[in-house]
Amino acid sequence: MFVTYRKQNDSVGKVDAIYSNPEDFDLSNVDGFDIEEIPEAQAVAGTYSVLMVKLPSNELYYDYIAIQPTNSLEQLINENTLLKAQVKAQSEHSDFIDNVISELATQLYK
């Protein structure tokens, strides 16, 4: 296998790609090296793993990056308030339509 990477600094690179058949590609102008086996990432709760390279030893390892929550409590409260208002408006609209249908039916059967 052939691993390509982008240098982050003089001692670390981030893996870009892993080629199982490197002879099928022109890899002459990329930073990379041959390797027998890719290490397996550990499952660390609340993180995602990024395959990295220690330079110049070409040793593979994983960085574990914390997953940032996308919504704060305040955003969720605001969204909940908006959704409640939308549900109420939809319910009132539905009641109005029901009343119109009832009135039409009453007029039709007079």
Side-chain angles (χ1 to χ4, degrees):
M1 286 185 277
F2 192 80
V3 174
T4 62
Y5 62 89
R6 274 181 291 126
K7 271 186 160 182
Q8 304 292 307
N9 57 47
D10 288 338
S11 61
V12 175
K14 181 178 179 184
V15 171
D16 280 330
I18 301 168
Y19 296 89
S20 57
N21 297 318
E23 60 277 355
D24 295 341
F25 302 93
D26 178 17
L27 300 171
S28 58
N29 296 323
V30 297
D31 290 327
F33 56 93
D34 287 310
I35 191 152
E36 292 293 318
E37 187 176 327
I38 305 297
E40 195 169 316
Q42 302 298 313
V44 179
T47 67
Y48 64 93
S49 59
V50 178
L51 189 56
M52 304 295 286
V53 180
K54 287 183 186 176
L55 300 173
S57 67
N58 293 341
E59 181 184 340
L60 296 177
Y61 70 97
Y62 286 94
D63 265 352
Y64 295 92
I65 311 297
I67 298 171
Q68 299 297 320
T70 57
N71 291 326
S72 69
L73 180 58
E74 184 176 321
Q75 287 174 318
L76 292 173
I77 289 170
N78 291 339
E79 184 177 320
N80 191 34
T81 301
L82 175 63
L83 290 172
K84 284 180 180 180
Q86 289 173 336
V87 167
K88 182 179 178 189
Q90 185 65 34
S91 177
E92 290 171 356
H93 181 71
S94 179
D95 290 345
F96 173 75
I97 297 295
D98 288 346
N99 290 339
V100 169
I101 291 171
S102 293
E103 184 64 33
L104 289 172
T106 302
Q107 293 297 323
L108 181 65
Y109 294 115
K110 275 189 176 183

